[in-house]
């Protein structure tokens, strides 16, 4: 699937955080996967430095699965291993993780 101009901008935009919000089937997951990979491949971030949140477990698992597949295609085995402890999850799972890792 080729990206639209707006999607391409969302993938490559740097300097600020980006919120990707759109209806079902519009390519949100594709944009988030490509953005994640863009930061890795360009050397702007490591896997553990990227936070990718979504609302559903299904969407989070799909995102992680697509990233894992593309990293394999790119031969980035270390990044694939690092993905297991990455911050790709639902908002609720991320908050629970932060509370477990940093309790009062």
């Amino acid at each position: 699937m080729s990206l639209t101009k707006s999607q391409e901008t969302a993938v490559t935009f740097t300097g600020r955080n980006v919120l990707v919000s759109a209806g079902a089937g519009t390519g949100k997951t594709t944009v988030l996967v490509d953005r994640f990979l863009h930061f890795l491949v360009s050397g702007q971030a490591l896997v553990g430095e990227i936070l990718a949140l979504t609302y559903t477990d299904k969407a989070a698992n799909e995102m992680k699965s697509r990233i894992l597949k593309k990293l394999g295609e790119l031969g980035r085995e270390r990044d694939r291993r690092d993905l297991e402890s990455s911050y790709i999850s639902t908002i609720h799972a991320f908050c629970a993780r932060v509370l477990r890792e940093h309790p009062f």
Side-chain angles (χ1 to χ4, degrees), residues 17-90:
N17 296 326
V18 172
L19 170 69
V20 177
S21 177
T26 57
K28 292 182 300 296
T29 302
T30 299
V31 168
L32 292 171
V33 166
D34 287 356
R35 184 169 173 79
F36 193 102
L37 293 167
H38 171 75
F39 278 96
L40 289 181
V41 172
S42 67
Q44 295 180 61
L46 301 172
V47 170
E49 297 174 328
I50 301 172
L51 174 63
L53 299 178
T54 188
Y55 288 104
T56 67
D57 287 324
K58 181 180 176 185
N61 291 333
E62 179 66 22
M63 194 179 343
K64 202 168 198 176
S65 174
R66 289 188 197 182
I67 292 169
L68 195 60
K69 180 181 177 192
K70 290 207 178 189
L71 288 174
E73 292 169 1
L74 295 171
R76 297 181 68 109
E77 292 307 313
R78 181 181 181 131
D79 288 333
R80 281 176 56 103
R81 285 190 303 275
D82 291 346
L83 202 64
E84 290 307 312
S85 60
S86 67
Y87 292 96
I88 300 173
S89 66
T90 64

Side-chain angles (χ1 to χ4, degrees), residues 6-19:
S6 301
Q7 290 171 325
E8 183 67 32
T9 299
V11 167
T12 59
F13 186 78
T14 59
R16 294 186 14 204
N17 296 326
V18 172
L19 170 69

